[in-house]
Amino acid sequence: MNSNTQNIQIKKLTLTFNKEKILHDINLTIPTQGITILLGRSGSGKTTLLRTLNRLNETYEGHQITGQISLPIQGLPKNINDIPQNDLPKLRQKVGMVFQTPNPLPISVRKNITLPTQLTLNMTKKQSETKAEETLKQVGLWEEIKNSLNKPAKDLSGGQQQRLCFARTLALNPEILLLDEPTASLDKKSSSTIENLILTLKNKIPIILVSHSLSQAIKLGDRYIIMNEGKIKTTIKKEELTATETDEKTLEKYL
């Protein structure tokens, strides 16, 4: 269990891209225990909200943000909007993210994990090799690729690339984990492997997950934040969601 039980706090958060308002005056308290799921229609602002937590939105032109985001992470300002630009890599290491589309580095499978851990965590070559094997086993990929570690990561299948990216994120020892539809590109077996991994992590690290799958949300979530048109419509507990029919129409009454 993460020893720091302080909540994630978002206050009066508004975000615009090129003067178009995407997130509207969001106020949220997210417990660090368990898994929080962001639900809503496409375009409701789920991924944009997720990206505010490690300031990835700033990589897009025309970005403007107001408000406060306080995260329970060590060694950085409490309000992450006060973090200077040169410390953003440290923020993104501590607030790790797995994206909907795999984004392996254009190098070997092995170096996709060993290079970031050596550069970011100052691991020795031996330490980084051990960490790579450990995390590849965590995501159920080791047995599939242990004899192909020196091949280009782009040669892996889409599902394997996604699990490699998950392993790379875990290898950097994040203190908060952001997941943007992490199983969208996976087959049923690989999706199940990742979902089970997420469940094993829930008592070790705060997880915030965007999902379009209500069945997945019910399987993984402890609480749910319903979004619509860049606003928070409501938050609901697991028992409230599981008491309803498990199809997309269930969300209609919350939107």
Side-chain angles (χ1 to χ4, degrees):
M1 176 70 70
N2 192 324
S3 61
N4 192 332
T5 57
Q6 182 182 354
N7 293 329
I8 295 166
Q9 297 279 356
I10 301 174
K11 296 180 180 179
K12 297 182 179 180
L13 177 68
T14 295
L15 182 143
T16 62
F17 284 122
N18 298 316
K19 299 183 180 180
E20 179 183 357
K21 193 173 288 188
I22 307 298
L23 299 178
H24 302 256
D25 196 30
I26 288 177
N27 294 281
L28 269 178
T29 298
I30 303 175
T32 54
Q33 292 80 27
I35 300 173
T36 300
I37 309 282
L38 300 181
L39 291 171
R41 298 188 183 101
S42 295
S44 61
K46 303 184 301 296
T47 296
T48 302
L49 178 59
L50 202 67
R51 287 171 176 261
T52 64
L53 299 176
N54 61 2
R55 289 179 54 179
L56 269 182
N57 289 313
E58 295 177 27
T59 60
Y60 298 95
E61 291 186 8
H63 164 275
Q64 286 188 317
I65 189 169
T66 59
Q68 180 173 317
I69 301 172
S70 299
L71 303 182
I73 53 178
Q74 302 296 319
L76 289 171
K78 182 178 179 181
N79 179 4
I80 66 168
N81 291 329
D82 292 337
I83 296 173
Q85 286 287 327
N86 61 344
D87 280 339
L88 289 184
K90 186 175 183 180
L91 170 67
R92 291 165 187 163
Q93 174 256 314
K94 290 177 175 290
V95 186
M97 187 166 182
V98 178
F99 301 90
Q100 180 178 359
T101 302
N103 61 337
L105 301 171
I107 49 180
S108 70
V109 172
R110 183 193 309 274
K111 287 185 177 179
N112 256 271
I113 300 179
T114 59
L115 186 61
T117 51
Q118 288 173 21
L119 292 176
T120 305
L121 302 180
N122 296 317
M123 286 187 177
T124 64
K125 185 176 185 294
K126 182 177 181 180
Q127 288 172 328
S128 67
E129 294 278 356
T130 300
K131 192 68 170 179
E133 181 175 346
E134 174 190 322
T135 53
L136 288 170
K137 286 178 176 177
Q138 268 189 292
V139 301
L141 194 54
W142 176 254
E143 290 300 323
E144 296 176 31
I145 64 168
K146 63 182 179 182
N147 296 319
S148 305
L149 296 176
N150 294 320
K151 293 183 178 179
K154 66 179 179 59
D155 290 351
L156 299 178
S157 70
Q160 289 175 328
Q161 288 184 29
Q162 182 68 325
R163 286 184 284 157
L164 174 63
C165 293
F166 208 118
R168 184 181 66 204
T169 298
L170 293 178
L172 292 173
N173 300 327
E175 296 178 31
I176 296 173
L177 190 57
L178 309 178
L179 305 177
D180 188 9
E181 296 193 67
T183 63
S185 64
L186 304 183
D187 57 31
K188 186 175 181 180
K189 181 179 178 181
S190 296
S191 293
S192 181
T193 297
I194 291 299
E195 287 173 353
N196 291 334
L197 169 63
I198 291 169
L199 288 172
T200 67
L201 294 171
K202 67 179 287 185
N203 291 324
K204 302 174 183 177
I205 181 173
I207 298 173
I208 305 174
L209 185 150
V210 169
S211 179
H212 276 117
S213 167
L214 199 56
S215 60
Q216 180 183 77
I218 290 171
K219 176 181 178 180
L220 299 179
D222 294 292
R223 68 196 66 87
Y224 308 89
I225 296 168
I226 311 298
M227 296 190 67
N228 191 34
E229 297 181 344
K231 300 176 182 178
I232 305 299
K233 299 299 292 185
T234 190
T235 58
I236 52 180
K237 298 177 181 178
K238 188 178 186 73
E239 54 267 27
E240 296 177 74
L241 192 59
T242 54
T244 63
E245 294 182 11
T246 57
D247 58 44
E248 296 304 323
K249 293 180 182 178
T250 301
L251 294 180
E252 292 297 324
K253 67 180 181 180
Y254 298 112
L255 297 175

